[in-house]
Amino acid sequence: MIQRRQLVQITGLVLAGVSRLAQAANLVAVRIWPAPEYTRITLESDQPLKYTQNPVQDPPRLAVDITGLTLNQTLRDLVSKVPADDPNVARIRVGQYTPEIVRIVIDLKQPISPQVFSLAPVAAYKNRLVFDLYPNRKPVDTLEQLITERSREERVAQAAPPAPPTPAVPPPPSSGRDVIADFLAGRGHRQEPPRVAQATPPRPRPAERPAPAQPPALRTGRKTDRLIIVALDPGHGGEDPGAIGPNGTREKDVVLRIAQLLRDRINGSSVNGNPMRAFLTRDGDYFVPLHVRVQKARRVQADLFISIHADAFITPQANGSSVFALSSRGASSSAARWLANKENEADLVGGLNVRSRDTLVQHALLDMSTTAQIRDSLTLGSAMLGEIGKINRLHKPRVEQAGFAVLKAPDIPSVLVETAFVSNPGEEAKLRSPAYQRSMADSLMRGIQGYFARNPPLARSRAV
């Protein structure tokens, strides 16, 4: 017979095992977001995950042990989610290290500085464990890169031979058949003008050949003219899908496409002889914190900052396009205040590491604003609103204002464009349409050109 003491011990062990099973976290989703700047890996679970990390430099890899987790198919799927062109991650290995610990090993393509942090449930997400893998390389000077690209285009344009002029070819004389056909068709008889023999112009000697025409944005033998840089900011991205339409259209996808179309138009244009170049705060599906978007625009000394979004509201009836500027004295309407608060929550949804070294910079930057910046932003917004109104209904006939965090660059005219309401079924269909996307990019381009036609850019603090 089992003695009472043994029975108590067995019962205690069973209860402890049941307790551990009840406390074990269940992994519900895994995601990976590769980008040139960093790669993010996300583990989503129904309970917070306890972990320890161990970076190894040779060869570069990151080992993470997660306690209270059992290896399941969801976690195994992470292995196959690594794309071959991920700039930072070579492969991922997972295994049940002990009965209560799962080990994840991330083999890296280059040394990285990992940021591993937890996020509490927000929006549609449960608890998230996030791995942000930042390469240790020196950051690219984006402004220098833009200038180099423009200089390369100028050299190609200068080296290309001028196209020979197309000689005017006189129309052939009408035949008798043509005259009869004209008469039968009721056109009457056409008197052909007498043909005049044209002398062939003398062929110029080599010394007399005209020099190739210079593109309007060039100064021969000198640096390029003032380069106009427009920062385009496709809203949301990565972990943050933005608003989602009734048919599943994600805001982050639509606005990225419009921004890419607008970039192509800007890169092939100039204003008053000044070449233009666009810079995207993100050019793929990955998350960029709000303050980093502003920092990127300031790093390239952008002349304008245009954040592109697709609005959503609590009712599907709301429709129309809008343009917003920053306000230093409260929102211009309750709807503008509601929208600004919603957009400012993007960092919570996307997942911002509050312990990162940029936190102090973030608070300092977003507290700065100037009267001149707001004035110029309203002027830019009005120019864009006038053009957008030609292709879509305007939600409000004027530029609205609110405390959008992404518009707080103190020295760059900045606007936020809501291209349409993705929450409205009719406008969701528009936003999915390539024709509407092109029309929106065209209208934004005309607004930019109209603004610069009346407000030429000032000299830079850094020569470009």
Side-chain angles (χ1 to χ4, degrees), residues 87-427:
N88 303 301
V89 177
R91 65 172 179 163
I92 296 177
R93 294 172 283 152
V94 298
Q96 193 74 47
Y97 186 59
T98 71
E100 295 184 355
I101 296 178
V102 166
R103 172 164 289 182
I104 300 175
V105 179
I106 305 171
D107 295 319
L108 303 163
K109 294 180 178 178
Q110 57 183 319
I112 57 98
S113 296
Q115 293 185 18
V116 184
F117 56 96
S118 299
L119 295 171
V122 63
Y125 293 120
K126 300 180 183 298
N127 297 276
R128 286 176 290 173
L129 179 61
V130 178
F131 307 80
D132 281 350
L133 310 175
Y134 290 90
N136 287 342
R137 65 175 182 267
K138 181 181 178 182
V140 176
D141 188 333
T142 317
L143 177 58
E144 193 65 37
Q145 193 174 44
L146 292 173
I147 298 169
T148 302
E149 290 175 2
R150 180 61 198 178
S151 299
R152 187 183 305 116
E153 292 175 359
E154 292 172 354
R155 289 195 297 271
V156 171
Q158 287 177 322
T166 303
V169 179
S174 297
S175 64
R177 187 183 300 272
D178 294 332
V179 173
I180 296 173
D182 287 343
F183 179 78
L184 293 177
R187 291 189 291 266
H189 178 67
R190 293 179 299 175
Q191 181 67 36
E192 291 293 331
R195 300 184 64 190
V196 179
Q198 297 182 352
T200 303
R203 190 172 185 177
R205 295 188 300 272
E208 297 175 348
R209 291 181 185 271
Q214 296 292 334
L218 301 182
R219 292 176 181 170
T220 306
R222 300 171 60 183
K223 65 168 187 163
T224 62
D225 279 345
R226 167 72 157 82
L227 183 65
I228 297 176
I229 298 175
V230 180
L232 303 178
D233 176 50
H236 309 282
E239 289 284 289
D240 177 19
I244 300 178
N247 291 312
T249 305
R250 300 184 302 185
E251 179 182 6
K252 67 175 182 178
D253 299 329
V254 171
V255 299
L256 177 60
R257 182 56 186 152
I258 294 174
Q260 290 169 334
L261 291 169
L262 181 55
R263 173 192 59 190
D264 295 341
R265 285 153 174 75
I266 290 174
N267 286 350
S269 301
S270 62
V271 175
N272 297 329
N274 295 306
M276 301 180 70
R277 178 68 61 182
F279 166 75
L280 266 62
T281 59
R282 71 174 179 95
D283 196 10
D285 189 11
Y286 53 92
F287 171 69
V288 181
L290 297 176
H291 72 283
V292 175
R293 297 169 187 260
V294 179
Q295 287 175 343
K296 286 184 171 186
R298 300 190 77 206
R299 195 175 300 134
V300 299
Q301 299 185 28
D303 296 286
L304 298 180
F305 179 90
I306 301 170
S307 192
I308 303 175
H309 292 255
D311 210 346
F313 199 59
I314 54 178
T315 62
Q317 288 77 25
N319 62 89
S321 302
S322 307
V323 178
F324 295 85
L326 184 65
S327 172
S328 60
R329 296 179 296 180
S332 57
S333 69
S334 57
R337 183 183 304 108
W338 179 88
L339 179 63
N341 291 337
K342 182 173 70 70
E343 296 294 359
N344 291 346
E345 292 175 353
D347 281 348
L348 298 177
V349 179
L352 180 67
N353 182 9
V354 296
R355 295 173 297 175
S356 70
R357 60 185 180 275
D358 292 326
T359 302
L360 294 177
V361 177
Q362 172 190 4
H363 290 303
L365 177 63
L366 298 186
D367 285 340
M368 294 189 296
S369 62
T370 66
T371 303
Q373 186 262 24
I374 294 176
R375 182 191 64 235
D376 292 341
S377 299
L378 290 171
T379 302
L380 170 63
S382 296
M384 301 191 112
L385 204 63
E387 296 296 336
I388 295 173
K390 298 175 182 177
I391 68 163
N392 195 34
R393 178 186 179 274
L394 296 181
H395 187 66
K396 289 289 180 67
R398 66 183 184 280
V399 180
E400 293 206 79
Q401 293 180 260
F404 292 89
V406 79
L407 301 182
K408 293 189 175 181
D411 47 0
I412 306 174
S414 305
V415 295
L416 185 146
V417 178
E418 295 286 0
T419 54
F421 278 82
V422 73
S423 54
N424 180 294
E427 294 207 329

